[in-house]
Amino acid sequence: MERGNAYVVGLEPPWEILNLIAAHKYKRHDQQYPSFMYADDSFDEDDPRIGLCQGTVVVRTLRHQWTTPRSAIRGLGEKSIPPDANARIHDVDKVMPPMVGYAVSQAYVSMMPNDWDKVPKVKELYDQIIQDFADSPVWAQKTLDFLTSEVFDGLAAPRPDDDDVHDDPSPAMNHRAQIADLARREREEAAAAAAAAAEHN
């Protein structure tokens, strides 16, 4: 990504941006990357790549999408990737450029609820992110390594034949198991009641 022909970050103070978003008045300049893409206080006018795609919003959006919403804030820690996570379902344990582009696009769209005429610009934003990763391989690898560490915590996605594939069940899986158990108990109770009634008669 060369300075002068690529997107650069907006320099508005973050609290001003938050106020504009809350008032539905925030508008992204077409040649600027959203400031949420940057790690805190990392923007360097001489090299806009520093901290790019390492912002908290980017990391948490990737976690939300790939390791389940409940891991978005704190990450996975020492736990395995949950069975219902997209990462487990699709056998993904490394962050790739399209994942970053999609996460940023989703976060950006969520910040412009009353500005849908800007939606076509999202494709340009996505395409520029992908292009930046292609143009700067050293920066790209460092950034992807950072995001992979932040999102997956060094955990590999278990394969379908792994012994722990059913570890760390999600709340939804717990609910399904609970419902199945209740249904089984009801059948057993009904059968016992029927047997008792038959004996009584």
Side-chain angles (χ1 to χ4, degrees):
M1 177 172 59
E2 296 180 1
R3 183 173 173 78
N5 64 359
Y7 283 49
V8 295
V9 70
L11 299 178
E12 302 96 328
W15 57 88
E16 289 187 10
I17 294 176
L18 290 174
N19 289 336
L20 289 171
I21 291 172
H24 305 297
K25 295 180 179 179
Y26 178 69
K27 294 183 181 295
R28 183 180 68 85
H29 302 294
D30 290 343
Q31 293 303 313
Q32 291 180 337
Y33 273 140
S35 57
F36 71 75
M37 291 178 62
Y38 280 81
D40 293 344
D41 301 321
S42 67
F43 180 68
D44 186 333
E45 292 189 33
D46 294 326
D47 189 350
R49 296 170 300 182
I50 295 175
L52 180 62
C53 295
Q54 297 184 19
T56 300
V57 170
V58 179
V59 171
R60 290 181 176 178
T61 302
L62 283 165
R63 288 174 180 167
H64 186 283
Q65 293 171 342
W66 291 97
T67 59
T68 72
R70 60 186 178 277
S71 70
I73 304 299
R74 296 184 177 86
L76 292 169
E78 297 180 356
K79 297 181 179 179
S80 62
I81 297 174
D84 59 332
N86 283 325
R88 178 80 73 99
I89 294 170
H90 298 288
D91 193 20
V92 172
D93 51 26
K94 291 180 175 60
V95 175
M96 304 299 290
M99 295 163 63
V100 181
Y102 182 71
V104 170
S105 299
Q106 288 286 303
Y108 173 55
V109 168
S110 73
M111 295 181 185
M112 54 174 197
N114 292 339
D115 196 14
W116 290 106
D117 61 316
K118 286 284 188 179
V119 169
K121 297 292 185 181
V122 174
K123 184 179 186 304
E124 296 179 15
L125 175 62
Y126 175 91
D127 290 342
Q128 183 63 50
I129 292 170
I130 300 303
Q131 189 62 51
D132 286 344
F133 275 101
D135 289 344
S136 302
V138 175
W139 164 81
Q141 191 58 56
K142 289 181 179 179
T143 301
L144 294 174
D145 288 346
F146 168 82
L147 291 173
T148 295
S149 174
E150 289 294 309
V151 174
F152 296 107
D153 290 330
L155 298 171
R159 305 304 183 259
D161 57 349
D162 284 356
D163 292 337
D164 67 340
V165 70
H166 296 298
D167 288 350
D168 191 23
S170 69
M173 293 182 69
N174 283 336
H175 293 161
R176 290 197 295 270
Q178 184 179 10
I179 291 170
D181 186 56
L182 289 171
R184 177 184 58 78
R185 292 182 185 180
E186 288 175 353
R187 289 194 300 270
E188 291 175 352
E189 291 172 358
E199 289 180 3
H200 182 72
N201 293 333

